[in-house]
Structures are given as structure tokens and as C-alpha cells.
Amino acid sequence: MIDTRRLRTLRAVADHGTVTAAAAALHLTPSAVSQQLVALEHEVGHRLFTRDGRGVHLTAVGKIMLAHANEVLAQLERAEAEVAAYSAGEVGEVTVACFATAISAVLSPAITVLRDTAPGIQVRVLDAEGDQSLSMLLDSEADLAIAVEYRGAPDASDRRLSRLPLYAEPFDLVLPRDHPLAESATLVSLAAETWIGPYPGNPVHDVITFACQQAGFTPNVTHCSDDFRAVVALVGAGAGVALVPRLALRDMVLPGVVVRQTPGPERRVFAAVRRGADSHPVVRPLLSALRAVAASLGSG
């Protein structure tokens, strides 16, 4: 009989690529993770991983087992959801990992909706960049993630997740008010400018870089901040120009800058849960509230 706890360990090691990183995500010691992998290999009767330096890679049998592990763990999520629905109804806590703009745009309004529609549900919010929330979800640090599409992200066919598209958010150009192109700027016309934007690794950095490359240049990102208020403040100080998600600019005081719409770049935002958990009685009402709020933004 295969121990399902070892299947979780198998998936964590496959997700993180090293025993040490998987151990940290599972709140275990590396030795304990290694012991679980050895025990699972004994149960299966085949090697599941090969080592390459500090990393590990799935063998052919390991890939087969990972596919089945995803199915088994999804079924367990569904079982837990059904039991919770029977025993408790819409009462409990759901932890959401979400980036700052989406907290303001969709999550906070959804929490307000829940006060009327499902008052027994408490939402715990963890501020996490769009590339971090999915890892937190898969590591069971969160019950729901609000994330953005980015290079290397699990796609819609990923068997570990169920996804709900929320909205597509365009980017706007932000320039100093006294900039020579303040009234007529296009992305191409700003190729030689100093740029301000998020750090590499932030999904927004990827979107901006790709949009500029599509326009024929690589932006000279000199000043970095993951806080869009700081980015806009630097633009207002004349330090450079920026592309900023439109919802991040909403309700922001914008002294010393002009905002120009530009065609092309956008970030696609979605909610995700571990597959099988979308019917959980404390998750389902929150997904419904998020869907309704996102629809009110005019896109999804």
C-alpha cells in the first residue's frame, strides 16, 4: 500500500527540484524527505529520481508515479471538500495568496461580498507576488492563489490545479509631465529612455520586457521597485519612464506625471486552487465572489 504522505513528498520534490527546497516547503528535514523517497521507491519497486549535482530529476517511472500522485491528491481534495460540506457548511477559514493590486481590485471587494452572502467564511490574506502565490498554493501554505500568467508558470492544462480566469489588465505609459513626448508618446518613441520597473523575476518585469522587445528594443531598466507607487513617484521626479498596470494606477495620486494608453501589453490574472478543492464549501463561495467582482471590472 502506497502512503499518500509520500506522494505529497514526491510532488514537492518534483516541483522544487531539490530535496532541501522540498523539505523547507513541507516543513520537514531533508533527511526525513530522503527517507520518505526511499520508502516510496521500496513500495513501488523502482527508482523514482536520479541525482544531478544538488538537484534531482524524475525517472520514467517517477513521471508515471507523479501523474498518478496528482490524480490521487486531487481526489483527496475532493473527498475533504465533500466531508467539509456535509459537516460544516459554509463556515471556516480560507487562506489566499495574492499580489497587492489584485488585493485592492478584486480580493477586498470579494471579501465585502462574502460578508453578506457567506458570513461564516473568514478570509486570511497573504501578500505575495504573482509568481510566488502558485508555489504557496501547491505547498499548501494557501488554499487559493490569485496569480498572473508569466513565463514558466503552470499552464491551464496543469493537472495539479483548477483555474478561474478573472481579468486581463492593460498597461499604461507613465511619463514626467514635462517630458517632450508627454502628449504623443508611444512605446517605440521611448526606446532610448531610462526605464523604471519591477525587479527581474517579477512577472510584470517579464511583461514589460517582452512588450518592448516586440516594439524592437530592450528597455534600459535603471531603477527597480516592485511597489508601483514608488515607480510612479520616481517618474514624477524625472528619473525615467514606466509601463504600469492600469489597475495599479487607479485611485493613485499622480503629481508630476502624465498617463498615456498604449496598445499591446497586458497581464492576465486568474484564481487557482488545488484540483479537487474548487467544490470545498469555504472555497466555492469565494470563487463565486471573485468571479462577480472581476466581471464588474469589464473583463475576464
Side-chain angles (χ1 to χ4, degrees):
M1 181 68 68
I2 295 175
D3 189 328
T4 56
R5 292 174 299 177
R6 292 168 187 158
L7 294 180
R8 295 187 190 278
T9 302
L10 169 70
R11 187 161 77 177
V13 174
D15 285 345
H16 292 279
T18 70
V19 169
T20 301
L26 295 170
H27 305 289
L28 298 171
T29 65
S31 176
V33 169
S34 294
Q35 290 173 14
Q36 289 199 27
L37 292 179
V38 169
L40 182 58
E41 288 179 330
H42 179 73
E43 289 172 339
V44 174
H46 291 274
R47 290 282 300 277
L48 301 178
F49 290 94
T50 60
R51 293 186 176 275
D52 179 13
R54 295 184 178 180
V56 293
H57 302 279
L58 288 169
T59 64
V61 175
K63 292 177 181 178
I64 292 172
M65 285 301 303
L66 179 62
H68 285 288
N70 288 332
E71 295 295 329
V72 170
L73 295 175
Q75 189 61 41
L76 287 175
E77 292 279 359
R78 283 189 285 268
E80 291 175 3
E82 290 185 17
V83 170
Y86 176 82
S87 62
E90 294 180 354
V91 177
E93 181 180 88
V94 56
T95 298
V96 182
C98 180
F99 60 97
T101 302
I103 290 174
S104 299
V106 290
L107 182 55
S108 293
I111 292 172
T112 300
V113 170
L114 286 182
R115 288 201 189 101
D116 295 327
T117 60
I121 296 176
Q122 301 298 314
V123 180
R124 175 173 173 252
V125 180
L126 302 178
D127 189 342
E129 292 298 336
D131 58 332
Q132 298 172 334
S133 58
L134 291 177
S135 293
M136 296 171 70
L137 175 66
L138 290 170
D139 291 338
S140 298
E141 296 176 30
D143 304 305
L144 186 150
I146 298 179
V148 299
E149 301 284 2
Y150 62 94
R151 286 183 291 184
D155 62 24
S157 65
D158 193 297
R159 301 293 291 171
R160 299 169 297 174
L161 301 172
S162 295
R163 301 183 3 154
L164 170 67
L166 293 177
Y167 60 89
E169 178 181 14
F171 283 64
D172 291 331
L173 288 168
V174 184
L175 299 88
R177 189 173 298 280
D178 59 359
H179 193 283
L181 296 176
E183 299 302 319
S184 60
T186 63
L187 197 55
V188 174
S189 70
L190 300 174
E193 296 289 329
T194 296
W195 285 78
I196 306 163
Y199 284 97
N202 186 314
V204 173
H205 179 93
D206 285 349
V207 173
I208 293 171
T209 300
F210 181 73
C212 292
Q213 289 172 343
Q214 290 290 98
F217 69 97
T218 299
N220 175 25
V221 181
T222 301
H223 310 289
C224 292
S225 174
D226 289 333
D227 183 334
F228 291 118
R229 291 186 181 276
V231 169
V232 172
L234 287 169
V235 173
V241 300
L243 271 171
V244 178
R246 185 168 297 170
L247 289 177
L249 294 170
R250 188 176 65 175
D251 301 326
M252 189 185 295
V253 178
L254 304 171
V257 305
V258 294
V259 178
R260 293 286 174 261
Q261 295 185 8
T262 185
E266 64 179 16
R267 63 175 173 180
R268 305 194 70 83
V269 180
F270 62 93
V273 297
R274 292 182 296 277
R275 194 161 64 93
D278 45 344
S279 61
H280 195 287
V282 299
V283 172
R284 184 179 60 247
L286 178 55
L287 286 172
S288 296
L290 288 168
R291 182 186 294 109
V293 172
S296 74
L297 297 177
S299 59

